[in-house]
Amino acid sequence: MSGHTDMTLVNDEGIRIDGRRCDEKRPIKIEAGVLKNADGSCYLEIGKNKVLCAVYGPRECRPRHLQDPTKAIIQCKYNMETYSVSDRKRPGTDRRSVEISKLISEALSNVVQVELFPRASIDVYIEILQANAGTRCAGLTAASVALADAGIPMRDLIPAIACGKADNHVVLDLNKEEDNFGQADVPLAIVPSTDEIVLLQMDGNMTREELDHGLDMAFGAAHEVYDMQKAALKKRYSEIEKKEGATDE
Amino acid sequence: MSDYIMSQIKRDHLLNLLADGRRADSRRLDEPRKITFETGVIESADGSCHLRLGDTEVMAGIKIIPGTPYMDAPADGVITTGAELIPMAHPTFESGPPDENAIELARVVDRGIRESGMIDVKKLCIKEGEQIWMVYIDIYALNWDGNLFDAANYAAVCALKTAMVPNKQYGFGDDMPLPITCLPISVTEAKIGNDLIVDPNFDEEAISSARMTVTTDDNGNFRAMQKGGKGSITRGDLSLCLDRAVEIGKQIRTIIG
């Protein structure tokens, strides 16, 4: 978010460097149930981001002092793999990943029916295989699909997408260049059935009008991502149904 | 940090008051607590501020040290923000390395300062590609009565505003003030039921479902935001937070500016 570069991020026709219009998100691919050992899992691509999420649980909460006698706790670990960015990332947790893990856990607590599993832990592991701006949104979007895939009772899914500002244009779903050299980044996650905001951050510089315009776009796009999440889960379950049908015969 | 359990009778009392639009300390819903502060209290630091926001008390200290620049910004100074929730400040705080709460606090304060361009890092170059000034902002909670986010932001801003770059100590000439361009001011609100209250104290934070911090600059533009807590907020809540952040930010700027 340096806000200045010689690079043209949005040209005179309102087209961005990856060919998108300002209100266009990147192509998204979501696949549920991709890992064998995990109770639920999801692979998600948005543009050049590649994210894998696994859910284990509800299971015994470790360390035990974190147990809550009234409900399950959600423990999320967001981790970037060393080769996911242009320089090699130092392995292990850093302050950024601690913050993102905390925010994603809190966002998921809004939809998971944690009160059904006292003392348990629901562990959500998000691995960023390739990063190209918007990984926390990609990770959270994948995590809610993986939780549903694990059969954990939920009020709704959580789609997430960012809006922001680049070259004085309000844009949807920032790419790497717009994130690095743009003027603002606003990741947003919502509960689509109620339009509640469960994750919201911002850095950069935006006026009230720009922010409202960006959020309008992001809310609309989040509902589109929601449809893709549901489609991925339906596909997963129709495959299971087919398989089970075959063994019955 | 272990969890704090509030008695039901106290919780009900606070909720009953809120239903009437009142708060236990008789503030309005959009009224921050009184701010008092003193700068330059630590002689060994290059800038410092001891700030009270009601009964929440923090100390911010600045250390400015020559260092090597990052490869991708060879002429830019570097800003680093840390926060520690030490056991002195509250019975539920534990010693040890910063936990996720301390890290989130430091990163939200850092974001406001960094993204507002409060410090002109271009002016912190000693020799391009070789030596720049590194500005360390370290914040310690001394007494926690809620809303460490705003207390830490205000203390850091006051400490930076009064900090001197120690040129003399390193043989670079006379000391100079830090190149300050604006004052980023955060306003934090807690959501309790359907109400949003500004500058929640400890009890109010304990019964809140979500937290929203909005940081504005001198022009009333938005520079940083962070939603926290396990609950949610609506688009209408956000709109109110944005309005209040501008309005209350202005009041606070007159106090600490």
Side-chain angles (χ1 to χ4, degrees):
Chain A
M1 208 58 40
S2 67
H4 37 73
T5 171
D6 300 333
M7 202 187 289
T8 305
L9 296 172
V10 183
N11 72 14
D12 298 337
E13 282 93 55
I15 301 296
R16 295 149 75 177
I17 46 175
D18 49 15
R20 284 184 289 156
R21 296 185 314 272
C22 288
D23 62 351
E24 207 175 333
K25 61 185 184 308
R26 292 172 285 187
I28 298 176
K29 182 181 144 188
I30 308 178
E31 204 179 328
V34 291
L35 297 171
K36 200 115 200 184
N37 278 351
D39 295 317
S41 60
C42 176
Y43 174 72
L44 182 144
E45 286 182 11
I46 174 161
K48 289 180 190 164
N49 290 300
K50 297 181 198 297
V51 176
L52 199 51
C53 177
V55 167
Y56 283 85
R59 62 182 179 182
E60 190 184 352
C61 179
R62 280 179 201 285
R64 293 187 66 172
H65 70 88
L66 292 176
Q67 282 187 359
D68 185 329
T70 65
K71 57 180 186 288
I73 63 161
I74 297 176
Q75 300 194 85
C76 174
K77 280 264 182 295
Y78 164 102
N79 185 44
M80 285 183 110
E81 307 206 330
T82 53
Y83 43 75
S84 62
V85 284
S86 55
D87 298 328
R88 178 174 183 268
K89 190 205 162 280
R90 261 184 56 189
T93 46
D94 52 15
R95 285 154 51 104
R96 175 177 172 276
S97 65
V98 171
E99 184 196 2
I100 292 175
S101 300
K102 177 174 192 276
L103 294 179
I104 291 179
S105 304
E106 288 174 347
L108 292 171
S109 307
N110 279 279
V111 292
V112 175
Q113 298 188 344
V114 284
E115 60 284 356
L116 295 177
F117 308 104
R119 295 182 192 283
S121 169
I122 296 169
D123 300 325
V124 178
Y125 301 106
I126 296 168
E127 292 289 322
I128 308 300
L129 311 178
Q130 182 168 294
N132 195 266
T135 57
R136 73 194 66 188
C137 290
L140 178 51
T141 304
S144 69
V145 172
L147 283 163
D149 180 48
I152 293 170
M154 293 161 81
R155 283 165 53 216
D156 205 346
L157 296 166
I158 297 181
I161 198 146
C163 63
K165 188 174 156 191
D167 277 353
N168 294 317
H169 289 77
V170 178
V171 292
L172 181 67
D173 187 23
L174 281 71
N175 60 36
K176 186 95 179 92
E177 291 74 16
E178 291 161 350
D179 189 25
N180 286 352
F181 306 115
Q183 296 150 298
D185 179 19
V186 187
L188 170 80
I190 62 168
V191 180
S193 54
T194 57
D195 271 348
E196 289 162 275
I197 298 167
V198 293
L199 180 145
L200 177 66
Q201 291 182 282
M202 184 228 169
D203 59 81
N205 187 359
M206 282 177 114
T207 63
R208 181 62 190 270
E209 292 69 34
E210 289 166 341
L211 190 53
D212 281 337
H213 176 43
L215 288 171
D216 286 340
M217 288 201 297
F219 265 84
H223 279 275
E224 291 170 20
V225 173
Y226 181 46
D227 292 336
M228 294 174 178
Q229 290 176 302
K230 286 190 289 191
L233 285 163
K234 277 184 191 150
K235 184 158 175 277
R236 161 79 167 144
Y237 284 107
S238 67
E239 276 164 9
I240 293 174
E241 212 169 19
K242 258 185 241 156
K243 235 186 242 167
E244 283 183 351
T247 50
D248 281 349
E249 282 167 31
Chain B
M1 189 175 67
S2 56
D3 273 343
Y4 170 82
I5 297 168
M6 182 186 273
S7 70
Q8 195 62 42
I9 195 162
K10 194 168 179 185
R11 181 186 299 264
D12 291 346
H13 172 62
L14 293 174
L15 292 175
N16 286 337
L17 281 174
L18 266 182
D20 273 351
R22 294 191 296 153
R23 297 167 77 169
D25 53 10
S26 70
R27 279 187 287 158
R28 294 189 313 274
L29 300 193
D30 63 348
E31 185 180 344
R33 287 170 290 180
K34 191 176 168 220
I35 299 169
T36 55
F37 66 99
E38 200 181 341
T39 55
V41 286
I42 308 293
E43 281 171 39
S44 53
D46 298 307
S48 59
C49 177
H50 179 193
L51 184 136
R52 285 190 181 86
L53 176 63
D55 286 333
T56 288
E57 193 174 334
V58 298
M59 179 75 88
I62 313 292
K63 277 286 195 186
I64 306 173
I65 297 164
T68 46
Y70 286 113
M71 299 261 273
D72 56 352
D76 292 1
V78 172
I79 306 168
T80 307
T81 309
E84 283 192 59
L85 306 179
I86 50 178
M88 152 195 290
H90 199 266
T92 59
F93 287 170
E94 288 164 15
S95 53
D99 66 356
E100 58 177 20
N101 297 303
I103 290 172
E104 185 186 19
L105 171 64
R107 286 181 61 85
V108 171
V109 173
D110 183 88
R111 211 168 288 145
I113 290 166
R114 188 180 302 278
E115 298 298 335
S116 65
M118 177 190 181
I119 303 170
D120 185 355
V121 290
K122 299 267 171 234
K123 292 189 178 148
L124 291 176
C125 182
I126 301 168
K127 187 161 185 226
E128 184 169 340
E130 284 182 21
Q131 213 173 23
I132 46 89
W133 289 110
M134 306 186 54
V135 180
Y136 288 92
I137 305 163
D138 286 299
I139 299 152
Y140 290 83
L142 304 182
N143 193 69
W144 181 34
D145 186 28
N147 197 10
L148 280 169
F149 284 81
D150 289 346
N153 170 274
Y154 307 155
V157 165
C158 291
L160 286 169
K161 208 161 64 76
T162 52
M164 295 296 281
V165 180
N167 276 324
K168 216 169 170 185
Q169 187 185 342
Y170 296 95
F172 300 136
D174 288 333
D175 291 355
M176 60 168 188
L178 267 179
I180 301 292
T181 65
C182 71
L183 303 183
I185 297 296
S186 68
V187 174
T188 296
E189 309 201 24
K191 180 152 186 189
I192 303 174
N194 290 320
D195 287 313
L196 279 165
I197 54 167
V198 170
D199 181 25
N201 64 22
F202 180 85
D203 290 338
E204 292 167 335
E205 262 181 17
I207 59 167
S208 69
S209 58
R211 184 191 72 236
M212 186 71 212
T213 302
V214 179
T215 308
T216 54
D217 62 18
D218 296 355
N219 302 319
N221 286 347
F222 301 102
R223 295 305 194 119
M225 301 197 291
Q226 178 102 335
K227 191 230 133 224
K230 287 185 175 161
S232 64
I233 61 167
T234 66
R235 188 82 193 266
D237 293 337
L238 175 61
S239 182
L240 182 60
C241 288
L242 295 172
D243 288 341
R244 283 176 172 175
V246 172
E247 190 189 319
I248 296 164
K250 226 181 263 171
Q251 296 167 21
I252 289 174
R253 224 167 250 113
T254 62
I255 299 169
I256 69 173

